[in-house]
């Protein structure tokens, strides 16, 4: 069983500040996704990273895949109240026929 | 393009009962996956269906079963409900060739008393 651990578990910051969320594993993944989930809704895919060392930007969000494809980070610049939500990373195993493994989640609250 | 829909949105059952949850895949998607998300946790993979057959299963007991129909809609059945089965049940559809890119429905929140 592959585990993805996210940190921090909870984060509450003021509007306009920057933050970084981490997703770590001892396993190698062929790709890694980041999702955001709001209360009462299913997760919404934000980005997929595939290549070790890859960096993708989505407006104020920057996603990085670790060189060894075992970890990832999400950096948000100038956080806004609309960024509030549960951020989940999910990895597709590099080997075998297992399915997506989700991380434990980071609950982010941006205070206006 | 129609997104993934699930029914019902909420459900209350008692221990020992059986429940059926339903999911309609996004148009054109041939694969459906089911996940269980306990409060404060990330989703846990239950199983995946492709071409009406189970195509992978997570660490869930046999009382969790499913079906996929020719129109790619799907059902999740849970027998002999236990209190710990209380959770948000998510359905996600995808193309088998793009298994990592999954589109989730809003979920069914099940409460077992």
């Amino acid at each position: 069983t592959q585990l993805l651990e996210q940190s921090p578990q909870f984060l509450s910051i003021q509007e306009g500040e920057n933050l970084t969320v981490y997703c770590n594993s001892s396993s190698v993944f062929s790709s890694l996704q980041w999702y955001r989930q709001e209360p009462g809704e299913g997760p919404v895919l934000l980005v997929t990273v595939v290549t070790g060392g890859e960096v993708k930007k989505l407006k104020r969000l920057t996603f990085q895949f670790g060189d060894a494809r075992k970890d990832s980070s999400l950096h948000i610049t100038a956080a806004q109240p609309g960024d509030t939500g549960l951020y989940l990373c999910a990895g597709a195993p590099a080997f075998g026929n297992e399915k997506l493994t989700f991380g434990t989640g980071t609950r982010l609250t941006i205070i206006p | 393009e129609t997104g993934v829909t699930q029914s019902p949105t909420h459900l209350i059952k008692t221990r020992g009962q059986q429940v059926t949850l339903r999911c309609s895949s996004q148009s054109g998607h041939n694969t459906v996956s089911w996940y269980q998300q306990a409060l404060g946790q990330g989703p846990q993979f239950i199983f995946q269906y492709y071409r009406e057959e189970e195509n992978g299963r997570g660490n869930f007991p046999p009382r969790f079963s499913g079906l996929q129909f020719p129109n790619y809609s799907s059902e999740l059945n849970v027998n002999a409900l236990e209190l710990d089965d209380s959770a948000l049940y998510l359905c996600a559809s995808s193309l088998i060739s793009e298994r990592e890119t999954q589109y989730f429905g809003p979920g069914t929140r099940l409460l077992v008393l």
Side-chain angles (χ1 to χ4, degrees):
Chain A
T1 303
Q2 300 172 309
L3 294 176
L4 276 168
E5 294 192 1
Q6 291 185 236
S7 61
Q9 189 176 359
F10 298 94
L11 184 59
S12 182
I13 64 171
Q14 294 287 334
E15 180 178 0
E17 294 184 347
N18 302 331
L19 67 108
T20 301
V21 174
Y22 300 93
C23 175
N24 295 294
S25 176
S26 58
S27 302
V28 177
F29 294 97
S30 62
S31 67
L32 197 139
Q33 293 81 48
W34 283 93
Y35 293 80
R36 184 171 70 205
Q37 184 177 22
E38 300 189 25
E41 299 181 9
V44 175
L45 180 66
L46 297 174
V47 76
T48 299
V49 286
V50 178
T51 306
E54 182 178 3
V55 177
K56 281 192 175 180
K57 291 191 175 184
L58 184 65
K59 297 184 180 178
R60 295 175 294 99
L61 278 60
T62 301
F63 305 86
Q64 183 163 9
F65 201 11
D67 290 341
R69 291 186 290 143
K70 294 182 179 181
D71 52 80
S72 181
S73 64
L74 158 60
H75 182 78
I76 301 179
T77 303
Q80 299 179 0
D83 296 328
T84 293
L86 178 67
Y87 286 82
L88 296 160
C89 64
F95 308 102
N97 194 32
E98 295 181 32
K99 307 307 177 182
L100 275 183
T101 299
F102 277 84
T104 49
T106 293
R107 186 162 298 281
L108 175 64
T109 302
I110 307 302
I111 303 167
Chain B
E1 185 176 85
T2 305
V4 179
T5 60
Q6 293 185 242
S7 63
T9 56
H10 297 82
L11 200 54
I12 300 175
K13 292 285 188 177
T14 57
R15 272 188 307 176
Q17 285 189 312
Q18 177 267 343
V19 68
T20 297
L21 310 181
R22 295 179 174 81
C23 170
S24 291
S25 299
Q26 182 162 312
S27 178
H29 285 180
N30 54 16
T31 303
V32 64
S33 302
W34 285 91
Y35 294 83
Q36 180 194 68
Q37 186 176 22
L39 199 61
Q41 302 291 319
Q44 297 294 311
F45 174 72
I46 303 175
F47 43 57
Q48 183 184 83
Y49 277 80
Y50 170 62
R51 289 185 176 177
E52 303 174 48
E53 292 190 359
E54 190 176 286
N55 184 43
R57 188 179 184 93
N59 189 27
F60 280 81
R63 58 189 186 83
F64 285 77
S65 63
L67 286 172
Q68 185 184 33
F69 300 100
N71 66 354
Y72 304 129
S73 66
S74 175
E75 287 182 356
L76 164 65
N77 298 288
V78 186
N79 294 321
L81 284 167
E82 301 177 359
L83 297 180
D84 286 348
D85 295 334
S86 295
L88 179 68
Y89 288 85
L90 295 163
C91 164
S93 72
S94 60
L95 292 171
I96 192 66
S97 57
E98 300 176 4
R99 63 185 178 125
E100 298 91 354
T101 305
Q102 299 194 6
Y103 296 86
F104 284 83
T108 293
R109 186 161 296 282
L110 172 66
L111 177 61
V112 182
L113 301 176

